[in-house]
Amino acid sequence: MKTRKQIEQRKLEIRNLLTGSEDVDVDALEQELTELDAELAKIEKREKLAKGLEAGVIGGEEPETRAANKPGFTELMNREVRSITIATGTGNSVITSDIGVSTDVIGLPENASCILDFIGFKNMHGAESYRQVYQLTRAEAKYAGIPADKLTQLPGTDILFDFVEIPKKKFALSTVFPKEYSKLTKSNYEATILNEIQRAVRVKLSHEVIVGDGTDGIIGLAKVPTTKGIAKDVILTTINDTTLDTIVYGFGSEEMVEANRMLIMNKATLKAFNDVKNSDKKKLYEIKLNANGGCGTINGVPFVINSAMSNVADSDKAAAKYFLMYAELNKYMLCEFAQPEFELSTDALFLNDMDAVKTTGFYGANMAGLNSLVRFAIK
């Protein structure tokens, strides 16, 4: 076997042959270079093993390197070592033990209604409030005998308008958490907290669009006044085999059955529809849920679930507690008055070793549109 020096010398000679002007057998030289490389690799491996034996390392690898190459090494490193106190006959003994800890955090069930996906939205960044105009009446043409110019000149008293105010309200949430969440633990606590804070305003809005009182918060659907021709309150005795027909055919335009109206209810009310049976003891209402489970159809009529709605037994018109609504949700306007802000501070509670996170948003909402909302209660 050639030595390392001999191999390097022969490689130099081959290089000179290849760069010279003499005719050479290139294929033969290529084959010889391949063999020289193989011999050199054997020499390097022998040298590495020899050095390993001198250092007392088996296989020529450092212990950390060998461990990292073993299956399951990554999972082992993700464990946290905890102290465990064990009672013995003479006292307590403290030992350490590997405890497997996940890197991910399993979240909670969804708590934001998808009703926000169906309502209207206005970007009003920089404004203090917003007015949404809506039409109250239509004009009607007259028969002959009236001058032709009067047919096209519609008097102001024939077509009337009104508007609703949408004031700005501030939404905010802040919390603190130990720095250890991001420094010492394998589980992704910090990312989970930041994600929850960011979605907190959406969760709040999804409930406030129903119950917002219009004073401290936005104007929710339950608080839209009946004095402006927008909302109407109706008393139902129960949910039975005629309830859906009463709602769909009894309200809205006299000329059509609106396809863009949607039922709003909580899960308990949806179950009440599901429990209605015909004379053959078969379910009368066919309920189909969308993939997210938060909306769907009842006999083809769209609905959305919102936990802020009252249960059937608790509904009370006088208390603005409704178990069912039928609305043109695209006419319920949610205005965003400023770009939502999300801030993380590592200095706010520096001496306490705590990080602080805060989110803020400015929103307002109200319903506009004649006969756009019908609310149902039992009493």
Side-chain angles (χ1 to χ4, degrees):
M1 177 181 289
K2 293 183 175 67
T3 64
R4 179 189 288 273
K5 185 175 181 180
Q6 290 173 332
I7 292 173
E8 296 296 340
Q9 181 63 36
R10 179 53 185 161
K11 280 188 173 183
L12 180 60
E13 293 173 358
I14 293 174
R15 179 179 179 278
N16 291 333
L17 289 173
L18 291 172
T19 57
S21 58
E22 297 181 7
D23 290 335
V24 295
D25 188 344
V26 177
D27 292 336
L29 292 176
E30 182 182 16
Q31 177 64 32
E32 186 178 354
L33 281 172
T34 301
E35 293 173 356
L36 290 172
D37 286 338
E39 287 190 45
L40 184 60
K42 291 180 181 179
I43 292 172
E44 291 176 344
K45 185 173 182 180
R46 292 176 65 178
E47 291 175 349
K48 184 177 181 180
L49 289 172
K51 288 181 180 179
L53 288 173
E54 286 182 14
V57 177
I58 300 173
E61 291 184 343
E62 295 297 326
E64 293 84 357
T65 305
R66 293 200 315 276
N69 291 332
K70 289 183 178 180
F73 176 76
T74 302
E75 290 77 5
L76 178 63
M77 293 302 295
N78 281 337
R79 296 178 184 173
E80 293 185 2
V81 178
R82 305 293 178 88
S83 295
I84 301 174
T85 301
I86 299 177
T88 65
T90 57
N92 292 331
S93 176
V94 178
I95 66 171
T96 60
S97 176
D98 286 341
I99 300 177
V101 179
S102 67
T103 56
D104 62 326
V105 178
I106 297 176
L108 295 170
E110 181 59 61
N111 65 333
S113 170
C114 59
I115 193 172
L116 297 181
D117 299 328
F118 300 103
I119 62 178
F121 180 82
K122 295 281 187 180
N123 184 332
M124 297 304 301
H125 291 182
E128 286 298 315
S129 64
Y130 179 73
R131 283 184 176 181
Q132 178 64 55
V133 179
Y134 64 100
Q135 188 174 336
L136 286 175
T137 60
R138 281 194 165 95
E140 186 175 334
K142 310 298 182 181
Y143 274 109
I146 298 177
D149 61 335
K150 296 295 184 183
L151 290 175
T152 56
Q153 295 177 11
L154 303 175
T157 54
D158 285 349
I159 302 179
L160 302 177
F161 302 91
D162 202 347
F163 65 86
V164 294
E165 290 279 4
I166 303 180
K168 180 174 69 175
K169 302 295 179 180
K170 182 179 181 179
F171 290 76
L173 177 67
S174 62
T175 190
V176 296
F177 56 91
K179 288 184 180 293
E180 284 80 1
Y181 277 5
S182 58
K183 301 292 185 183
L184 302 179
T185 178
K186 298 291 183 182
S187 296
N188 209 358
Y189 296 116
E190 182 182 35
T192 302
I193 292 171
L194 300 184
N195 180 63
E196 282 297 310
I197 295 297
Q198 283 182 302
R199 67 189 299 275
V201 172
R202 178 178 173 86
V203 174
K204 182 67 173 177
L205 281 173
S206 71
H207 289 79
E208 288 295 289
V209 296
I210 300 296
V211 298
D213 59 13
T215 302
D216 297 323
I218 64 176
I219 302 171
L221 291 170
K223 293 295 186 178
V224 174
T226 58
T227 55
K228 297 176 74 71
I230 299 172
K232 181 178 182 179
D233 292 340
V234 176
I235 299 297
L236 291 179
T237 57
T238 185
I239 294 178
N240 54 32
D241 56 351
T242 64
T243 301
L244 193 60
D245 288 344
T246 299
I247 296 170
V248 172
Y249 299 111
F251 306 99
S253 171
E254 296 296 331
E255 306 296 335
M256 62 186 296
V257 177
E258 287 92 345
N260 59 342
R261 287 183 178 250
M262 179 172 264
L263 294 166
I264 310 167
M265 67 190 81
N266 64 17
K267 286 179 67 175
T269 302
L270 182 62
K271 182 180 183 301
F273 274 101
N274 185 66
D275 291 342
V276 176
K277 295 180 174 58
N278 59 21
S279 57
D280 296 330
K281 303 299 181 181
K282 295 181 179 179
K283 292 183 178 181
L284 183 68
Y285 295 113
E286 181 183 16
I287 298 174
K288 294 183 178 180
L289 293 171
N290 286 7
N292 65 4
C295 56
T297 60
I298 302 177
N299 285 10
V301 179
F303 73 87
V304 61
I305 295 173
N306 193 301
S307 62
M309 296 290 294
S310 297
N311 292 327
V312 177
D314 300 329
S315 65
D316 185 348
K317 185 181 77 171
K321 296 171 65 177
Y322 305 96
F323 75 91
L324 189 64
M325 295 183 188
Y326 189 48
E328 292 183 80
L329 284 177
N330 62 321
K331 294 182 179 179
Y332 181 78
M333 292 296 168
L334 176 67
C335 293
E336 184 180 84
F337 291 103
Q339 181 71 30
E341 294 183 351
F342 177 78
E343 299 173 284
L344 173 65
S345 173
T346 57
D347 301 324
L349 296 171
F350 177 76
L351 295 179
N352 301 92
D353 265 350
M354 303 284 280
D355 288 340
V357 61
K358 179 181 70 173
T359 185
T360 56
F362 293 87
Y363 295 92
N366 204 346
M367 192 79 175
L370 192 67
N371 298 326
S372 298
L373 173 65
V374 186
R375 301 175 295 214
F376 300 92
I378 293 296
K379 60 180 180 179

